Each structure stands twice: as C-alpha cells, then as structure tokens.
C-alpha cells in the first residue's frame, strides 16, 4: 500500500493552530487542500494565515515564489462538508470532545467516497471510540501531529481496534511522503509519547512535593545533568499547566486510575490558582516584566579531597574514575563484590543513586545519574541529616574539581534523573510487551516528540539491562503504593539477562 497520490485532494476540518499546521504540511507536499470550519469565515481566515506563512517561507529561502503561488492555488476554503466529497483523506482537528468528533465523522461518512481515508488528530481521546461511530471503522485512523505541525517531524499513526492494516499503512506512507517521521502505534491512552513521558513530569513534581528541591534546582539538574532540553517545570509552563495536567488526568483515567499515572496535587493547585504558565504570566515561575529569575541551588566552593578509593566499577558512572584522574586526584581501586562506590578520605562513601536513601546508612552521600558525566555541567548530591558535614563537603569538592556545579537536594530515594529515567525505561518496556509499538518506534517517538537526549531503549542498553529494575525495586520498598513497582516486562528483561549471564551453557 503506497502513499496517496499528490493529485488526491486532502481536507482538514477544524482551522485552529493544529488544523492550519496540518493543512500547510499537506499543501507544501503538493496536494490540493480543502479547509472547512463550522464557524463561517474561519476557513478563509485560515487560508489567509497559511498564505502569510508561505510568504515568510519564501523570505527565508525555504520555498520558491513559484512553489508558493502554486500552493496558494491548490488551497481552497470550503463552506460546506459537501465540498469535501472528492477528497482522498480527511483529517479532523476540532474540539477534543468525543461526541463532537463522532458526530463530525458520521456526517463525513455520508459525504466522502468509500475509499476515502478518515483520520483524527486527537491527542487524548480513544481512536477506537471515535471510529466506533462509523459504519466502516476500518478506514479510520489516528494521525497525531505535534505542534507546530510544519516544524516538528513526528507523527504517531494510531490504529484503532477496528482499523484495517491497509488504512494504517496508507496513512503511515502518506505521512512519510509529506516529509514526516511516522511511528506506528496501537490505540492506547496517551499513544506513545504522552504515555511514556508522564514520569518526566510526575517525578519532578514528586521531588518538589517531598520538599527535596525547588523547581529551579530540579530543572537545572534535569538539563545540566540529565541532558534533557528543558526541565519539567519550565516545560509545563511553556505547554500550559492546564493543558499538561489535562493530558495527565486523561491518561490516568483511561488506565482506570493506575497509580503509575497519578496526577500531581501541586500542579492541580497551580491550575486552580490560575497560574497556567507563560500564557497567564505566572506558573511555576513568574514571567512578569522585571521579575527576578529563580536560580538553582548551587553549593559554595569546597576543597577537593586528596584522594578517593574506588570500590567496584561504579557501573553507569564508571567514566567518573577517568575524570577524577584527569583532575589530578589519585584513585586507588579495590575489588568489591557487593558494591560500587567511592570512599572519601573522611571514610564517608559516595554512591550512585540506586533507589535507597542516605539515612539508611552511615555517612553515605548519593550522586545522581548523568547521561554523560564528562559533558554534564551540574551534579546533584543527596544527603541525610545524619551525614557528616565533612563527608558532604568532600563530595561537593570532588565534583567541583571536575568542573561541575553542585546542587545538594534532600534525601530523596532515586534522586531526580535516576528515578525519572528508570520509570521512563519501565513504561517503555511495558508498552512493547503490550503491543503498543516497537522498541525502535518508541525510541524515535521520544527523541523527536519530546526531544529526549536518547530513547528509553538506548538508555536501557547504556545503563545495563537490570539497572532500571533495581532502582525501581528499591523505590517500591520505600514507597509501596505501586507507583514504583517494576512492570512484569521489566522484571522479565532483567531476570532473563541475569539468567543468561549466569548460564554455563
């Protein structure tokens, strides 16, 4: 099954930001495009707005004047649904209400031909439920573009329960022909990106609610240590707190109030107060003119330790040993069967976040996971009230000697980056096990859809097959609500790895 022929008309119903963006993508690809909106005059306004954007593309040398003129000639506002009768594809981008979408597609089914592909751009509703209103749901598919559609490459091609394989394949190939990067996905709450991205927000909010750190510090650690493009607090301020919370709530409800997707009470209070982020002038941060910028907590300068003793290989943090030596600090390595840690001159220990807490041990400081310890510009440390101040200062001085800013947070199990990555990896494995998408498509979706520095399965391979399971298992012991219980898929993944490594055959 191939993509739609460029001579085939494509219609977009709903002319808001997403509708206009999708129409522009199809138009620039070469299709005749029809625009329809139930509000009189809106389709023409949308056509004018798209024309203005085409002009800007010409000014930026991204489109020739001849191509712009040809595209404008192919763009036609429609006053009635009947004018979409000859379209080969109709994409809906209207209000996110099930009844509204179902009624629209019932009407469209009576207008378009039997071979017309019908698609919804919904981000939160069930594709199966919307298509359930059709006499022929086999030709119905989800085409979830990301905003702004002309710029972001990802399209989630979602198959409802009754979607024909030929319909999903044609939609997939058409999206690819439009210059997009499609990923195939089963109809599950949140699809790929909005399902697997929930922990990125949820764990940041959980650390904040536990008084582990303030938003600016958490954001800085996620960016400068974790390698994420933006922190969770600044990103939700950009998205809109009401929008982000609505998606979280929708996914949570769709999973029958699964505790793994529980919304944040702190975010709920933010929405209730009207602090919706940049669009309202205040969210987690204040965007008023002249408002002071919130700065992350950064530890004061401390002397570097005279040496460290490495017990074990430090696992995912093994690169630190090279960095410590490059900083001129002697490293003595000792074999250790049951630990991976650094021993400081004071006798205190420095260990990679593993889901346990500092208060459980004598004089232990935890440090957070980094995607790349060499490139990381900030490291988070965690200590309890019983940790020796001298040990903590030695740990601070060690990382400062490596050129890192240091943020000391509360005694939070799993810290910030480690717990976030472990949960993302877990949800990704669970999604594959349940047939939502392939490993490759999930990695692609998370890199392109939310700009993750790498996909969950890339993380899993880099960190070791049992790393995420071990972190979550320890977190689950300390918070046995079920939120951190590793999925069966992750358990099988880690156990199978151990079994193979221990096999003599």
């Amino acid at each position: 099954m191939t993509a739609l022929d460029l001579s085939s008309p494509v219609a977009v119903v709903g002319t808001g930001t997403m509708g206009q963006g999708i129409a522009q993508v199809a138009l620039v690809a070469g299709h005749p495009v029809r625009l329809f909106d139930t509000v009189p005059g809106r389709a023409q306004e949308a056509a004018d707005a798209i024309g203005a954007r085409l002009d800007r593309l010409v000014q930026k040398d991204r489109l020739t004047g001849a191509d712009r003129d040809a595209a404008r000639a192919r763009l036609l506002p429609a006053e009635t649904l009947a004018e979409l009768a000859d379209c080969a594809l109709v994409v809906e981008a209207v209000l996110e209400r099930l009844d509204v979408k179902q009624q629209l597609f019932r009407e469209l089914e009576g207008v378009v031909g039997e071979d017309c592909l019908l698609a919804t751009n919904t981000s939160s509703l069930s594709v199966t439920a919307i298509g359930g209103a059709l006499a022929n749901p086999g030709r119905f598919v989800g085409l979830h573009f990301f905003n702004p559609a002309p710029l972001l490459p990802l399209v989630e091609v979602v198959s409802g329960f009754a979607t024909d394989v030929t319909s999903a394949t044609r939609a997939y190939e058409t999206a690819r022909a439009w210059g997009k990067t499609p990923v195939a996905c089963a109809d599950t709450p949140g699809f790929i990106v909005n399902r697997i991205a929930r922990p990125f927000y949820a764990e940041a909010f959980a650390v904040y609610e536990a008084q582990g750190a303030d938003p600016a510090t958490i954001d800085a650690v996620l960016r400068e240590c974790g390698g994420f493009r933006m922190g969770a607090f600044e990103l939700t301020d950009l998205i809109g707190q009401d929008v982000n919370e609505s998606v979280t709530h929708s996914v949570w409800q769709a999973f029958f109030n699964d505790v793994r997707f529980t919304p944040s009470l702190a975010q709920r209070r933010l929405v209730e107060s009207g602090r919706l982020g940049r669009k309202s002038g205040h969210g987690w941060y204040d965007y008023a003119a002249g408002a002071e910028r919130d700065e992350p907590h950064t530890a004061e300068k401390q002397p570097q330790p005279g040496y460290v003793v490495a017990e074990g290989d430090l696992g995912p943090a093994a690169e630190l040993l090279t960095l410590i030596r490059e900083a001129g600090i002697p490293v003595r390595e000792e074999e250790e069967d049951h630990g991976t840690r650094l021993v400081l001159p004071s006798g205190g220990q420095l260990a990679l976040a593993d889901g346990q807490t500092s208060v459980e041990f004598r004089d232990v400081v935890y440090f957070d996971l980094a995607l790349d310890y060499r490139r990381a510009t900030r490291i988070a440390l965690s200590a309890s009230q019983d940790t020796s101040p001298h040990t903590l200062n030695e740990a601070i001085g060690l990382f400062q000697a490596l050129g890192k800013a240091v943020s000391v947070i509360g005694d939070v199990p799993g810290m910030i980056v480690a717990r976030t990555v472990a949960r993302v990896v877990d949800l990704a494995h669970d999604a594959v096990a349940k047939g939502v998408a392939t490993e490759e498509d999930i990695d692609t979706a998370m890199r392109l859809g939310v700009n993750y520095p790498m996909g969950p399965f890339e993380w899993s391979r880099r960190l070791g097959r049992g790393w995420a399971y071990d972190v979550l298992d320890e977190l689950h012991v300390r918070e046995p609500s079920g939120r951190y219980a590793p999925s069966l898929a992750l358990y099988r993944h880690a156990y199978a790895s151990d079994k193979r490594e221990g096999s003599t055959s």
Side-chain angles (χ1 to χ4, degrees):
M1 180 62 66
T2 58
L4 294 176
D5 188 272
L6 290 181
S7 63
S8 303
V10 171
V12 178
V13 178
T15 59
T17 301
M18 283 304 303
Q20 289 183 32
I22 295 167
Q24 181 178 328
V25 170
L27 188 67
V28 171
H31 288 273
V33 174
R34 314 277 171 75
L35 289 171
F36 176 78
D37 199 292
T38 56
V39 179
R42 283 274 178 88
Q44 183 61 59
E45 291 174 5
D48 293 340
I50 293 171
R53 284 197 291 273
L54 295 178
D55 288 339
R56 289 195 291 273
L57 290 177
V58 172
Q59 293 169 4
K60 296 176 181 179
D61 292 326
R62 296 178 183 173
L63 192 70
T64 68
D67 286 342
R68 173 200 57 197
D69 294 343
R72 279 181 165 171
R74 294 194 304 270
L75 181 61
L76 297 174
E79 295 183 3
T80 66
L81 283 180
E83 295 175 58
L84 313 184
D86 64 339
C87 289
L89 168 64
V90 180
V91 184
E92 163 273 315
V94 302
L95 187 67
E96 283 286 276
R97 273 181 45 185
L98 179 61
D99 58 336
V100 172
K101 293 179 187 290
Q102 287 179 328
Q103 180 58 35
L104 169 63
F105 282 110
R106 286 192 194 97
E107 294 177 19
L108 281 170
E109 199 170 31
V111 170
V112 299
E114 293 182 359
D115 59 348
C116 177
L117 190 63
L118 299 177
T120 175
N121 184 57
T122 186
S123 61
S124 60
L125 298 176
S126 165
V127 171
T128 301
I130 300 171
L134 297 174
N136 178 17
R139 61 166 162 176
F140 186 73
V141 67
L143 278 177
H144 181 216
F145 289 78
F146 287 73
N147 192 28
L151 297 180
L152 295 186
L154 185 68
V155 177
E156 292 177 318
V157 181
V158 186
S159 294
F161 188 79
T163 301
D164 292 336
V165 173
T166 54
S167 298
T169 302
R170 171 157 284 185
Y172 183 99
E173 293 299 334
T174 297
R176 185 157 63 177
W178 291 357
K180 296 301 180 182
T181 303
V183 291
C185 175
D187 185 21
T188 185
F191 309 142
I192 297 175
V193 172
N194 281 329
R195 171 178 175 149
I196 295 174
R198 296 345 295 162
F200 177 75
Y201 313 108
E203 294 312 308
F205 299 161
V207 172
Y208 168 76
E209 290 173 341
Q211 302 292 295
D214 59 277
T217 299
I218 295 170
D219 277 353
V221 172
L222 286 168
R223 288 193 315 269
E224 301 170 36
C225 181
F228 292 95
R229 185 73 59 87
M230 298 179 73
F233 296 90
E234 59 189 340
L235 180 55
T236 53
D237 267 358
L238 178 64
I239 295 169
Q241 298 301 331
D242 52 339
V243 174
N244 181 261
E245 196 221 15
S246 176
V247 173
T248 299
H249 201 270
S250 174
V251 172
W252 175 59
Q253 283 191 316
F255 276 114
F256 307 105
N257 297 359
D258 187 330
V259 68
R260 296 177 301 165
F261 301 99
T262 301
S264 162
L265 181 58
Q267 188 180 39
R268 176 91 292 262
R269 293 291 178 258
L270 203 66
V271 173
E272 290 174 339
S273 70
R275 294 186 170 186
L276 306 182
R278 288 181 178 271
K279 63 185 178 183
S280 70
H282 204 306
W284 295 110
Y285 300 107
D286 187 352
Y287 299 95
E292 290 188 14
R293 179 182 176 86
D294 293 342
E295 296 295 334
H297 168 75
T298 302
E300 295 182 358
K301 183 68 177 176
Q302 299 295 333
Q304 70 183 46
Y307 67 91
V308 296
V309 178
E311 297 185 348
D313 63 4
L314 295 190
E319 185 182 22
L320 281 176
L321 298 180
T322 301
L323 299 180
I324 292 170
R325 289 190 178 96
E326 289 176 357
I329 300 174
V331 178
R332 297 203 304 265
E333 295 191 54
E334 296 182 359
E335 293 293 333
E336 178 63 42
D337 293 334
H338 302 291
T340 55
R341 59 195 173 188
L342 295 173
V343 181
L344 300 165
S346 64
Q349 299 174 15
L350 190 58
L352 176 63
D354 59 4
Q356 301 183 82
T357 56
S358 181
V359 74
E360 300 170 51
F361 305 98
R362 186 182 67 81
D363 222 14
V364 169
V365 174
Y366 278 105
F367 64 94
D368 210 347
L369 177 70
L371 175 65
D372 183 331
Y373 283 98
R374 182 175 293 277
R375 296 178 62 185
T377 58
R378 181 177 299 271
I379 295 292
L381 300 180
S382 174
S384 76
Q385 65 271 25
D386 296 329
T387 303
S388 162
H390 186 53
T391 296
L392 180 57
N393 287 339
E394 283 184 326
I396 293 170
L398 174 64
F399 281 104
Q400 288 175 337
L402 307 185
K404 317 299 183 187
V406 176
S407 293
V408 179
I409 70 171
D411 191 15
V412 179
M415 301 192 68
I416 298 170
V417 180
R419 69 195 290 166
T420 299
V421 171
R423 287 208 59 214
V424 168
V425 168
D426 181 47
L427 289 186
H429 278 280
D430 185 54
V432 170
K434 292 177 178 173
V436 173
T438 65
E439 292 185 8
E440 181 181 5
D441 276 358
I442 287 175
D443 276 355
T444 297
M446 301 313 290
R447 286 196 311 269
L448 299 183
V450 278
N451 286 313
Y452 280 10
M454 62 175 55
F457 292 97
E458 292 176 291
W459 258 319
S460 186
R461 288 188 290 272
R462 174 178 287 200
L463 296 170
R465 295 173 66 92
W467 179 85
Y469 176 85
D470 291 340
V471 170
L472 292 178
D473 195 40
E474 294 288 359
L475 278 164
H476 179 54
V477 169
R478 286 149 188 82
E479 188 177 323
S481 64
R483 177 188 180 106
Y484 299 103
S487 67
L488 179 58
L490 191 64
Y491 172 78
R492 285 172 171 159
H493 180 73
Y495 177 76
S497 174
D498 289 343
K499 186 174 180 180
R500 282 195 299 273
E501 290 168 3
S503 173
T504 58
S505 60

